[in-house]
C-alpha cells in the first residue's frame, strides 16, 4: 500500500469518527461519559485478547470495570475518587476469588495481575481525560489532549514515512524513527498552540505544556502498546477502526498523555491557586 493510499484510508475513517467524538466531547456530561466508557470497554477487550486472558471468563470483569471507571467523574460526584479505588479493589477481589474457586490456580498470580493491570492501563488514561472534561474549561483541556495527541501521531507517521532513517526501538516497533518522533513533536506542539481559538480558558503556557507532554508521554504510550502487540504476535490491537486498527491503537498515546496533563494541572493549580 502506498503512502497516499494509506492516508486516504485513514482520512476516510477520521471523517466519520472525528465528528462523532467531537460532538460527544462538546456535549459533555453523560454524552462524554458514554464516549469514554465505550472507548475503555473496547480497548480493554482488545488488550485482554492479546494476553493469556484471551479465553478466560474473568476478562469480562476487567472489561466492565474499565468501562465503568471513566464515567465516574461525571456520575460519581465528589466521591468519584473513592468509588474508583473501590471498583479497582473489588475487581481484584473478584479475580482472585474466581481463580481460587475455578482455577487455573497454577498461574493465578499472573492472571490476576493481567486483569488488574489491564484495568489500570486502559482506564487510568480515560479516567484522567474524563476528570479533565469535568473541570472548569474542561472542554478545552480534554480537547487539547486529543488534538495534541492525534496531531503528534499524524506528524510522526508522515515524518517517519518521508524522512525516517534512524530507528528508535526496532525490537519493539520497527517503523518508529527518531525523525518521526521529531516531526510528531513539532506538529503536536504546533496544533496545541494553533488551536488557541478552540481552547479558550487555557493560557499559552498551558497549551505549550500540553504539546510538550504529547511529545514525550504520547510516543512512550505508543511504544508500550507496540510492546504488548509484539509480545502477542499481532500487527494491530483490533480492526474496529479499519485502517486505523483497533481502539487501543488510536488511544495508546492518550492513555499516557491525559494523566500527565492532569498531573500538570494539579501541580499548576497548587502552585498558583
Amino acid at each position: 500500500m502506498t503512502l497516499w493510499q494509506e492516508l486516504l484510508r485513514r482520512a476516510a475513517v477520521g471523517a466519520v469518527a472525528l465528528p462523532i467524538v467531537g460532538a460527544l466531547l462538546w456535549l459533555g456530561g453523560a454524552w462524554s461519559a458514554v464516549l469514554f466508557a465505550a472507548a475503555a470497554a473496547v480497548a480493554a477487550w482488545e488488550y485482554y485478547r492479546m494476553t493469556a486472558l484471551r479465553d478466560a471468563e474473568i476478562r469480562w470483569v476487567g472489561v466492565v470495570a474499565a468501562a465503568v471507571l471513566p464515567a465516574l467523574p461525571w456520575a460519581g460526584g465528589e466521591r468519584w475518587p473513592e468509588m474508583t479505588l473501590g471498583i479497582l479493589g473489588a475487581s481484584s477481589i473478584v479475580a482472585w476469588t474466581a481463580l481460587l474457586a475455578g482455577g487455573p490456580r497454577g498461574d493465578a498470580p499472573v492472571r490476576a495481575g493481567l486483569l488488574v493491570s489491564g484495568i489500570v492501563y486502559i482506564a487510568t488514561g480515560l479516567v484522567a481525560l474524563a476528570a479533565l472534561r469535568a473541570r472548569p474549561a474542561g472542554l478545552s483541556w480534554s480537547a487539547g489532549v486529543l488534538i495534541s495527541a492525534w496531531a503528534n501521531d499524524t506528524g510522526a507517521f508522515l515524518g517517519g514515512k518521508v524522512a525516517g532513517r534512524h530507528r528508535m526501538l526496532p525490537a519493539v516497533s520497527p517503523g518508529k524513527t527518531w525523525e518521526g518522533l521529531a516531526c510528531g513533536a513539532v506538529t503536536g506542539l504546533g496544533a496545541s498552540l494553533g488551536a488557541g481559538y478552540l481552547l479558550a480558558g487555557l493560557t499559552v503556557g498551558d497549551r505549550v505544556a500540553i504539546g510538550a507532554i504529547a511529545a514525550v508521554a504520547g510516543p512512550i504510550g505508543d511504544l508500550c502498546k507496540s510492546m504488548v502487540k509484539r509480545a502477542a504476535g499481532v500487527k494491530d490491537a483490533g480492526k474496529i477502526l479499519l485502517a486505523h486498527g483497533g481502539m487501543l491503537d488510536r488511544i495508546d498515546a492518550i492513555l499516557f498523555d491525559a494523566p500527565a496533563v492532569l498531573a500538570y494541572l494539579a501541580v499548576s493549580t497548587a502552585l498558583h491557586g
Side-chain angles (χ1 to χ4, degrees), residues 93-105:
I93 292 169
V94 169
W96 282 102
T97 303
L99 291 164
L100 178 65
R105 300 188 184 98

Side-chain angles (χ1 to χ4, degrees), residues 11 46 51-52 66 77 118 146 193 195-196 213 239 247 257 267:
E46 292 172 346
T51 71
L146 297 181
L193 287 171
I213 287 169
K239 297 295 184 184
M247 182 65 69
D257 288 346
V267 171

Side-chain angles (χ1 to χ4, degrees), residues 178-197:
W178 289 106
E179 292 83 359
L181 178 72
C183 290
V186 171
T187 54
L189 182 58
S192 182
L193 287 171
Y197 68 96

Side-chain angles (χ1 to χ4, degrees), residues 170-267:
V172 174
S173 183
K176 298 290 189 300
T177 64
W178 289 106
E179 292 83 359
L181 178 72
C183 290
V186 171
T187 54
L189 182 58
S192 182
L193 287 171
Y197 68 96
L198 293 176
L199 306 180
L202 272 61
T203 67
V204 172
D206 291 335
R207 299 201 300 275
V208 169
I210 292 173
I213 287 169
V216 177
I220 294 174
D222 192 338
L223 286 168
C224 287
K225 182 265 322 223
S226 295
M227 183 167 58
V228 174
K229 293 196 301 183
R230 180 55 63 97
V234 299
K235 181 179 183 295
D236 294 316
K239 297 295 184 184
I240 191 171
L241 297 177
L242 304 178
H244 285 277
M247 182 65 69
L248 188 53
D249 293 308
R250 287 301 91 210
I251 66 171
D252 51 8
I254 295 166
L255 297 182
F256 281 43
D257 288 346
V261 171
L262 185 62
Y264 158 79
L265 180 55
V267 171

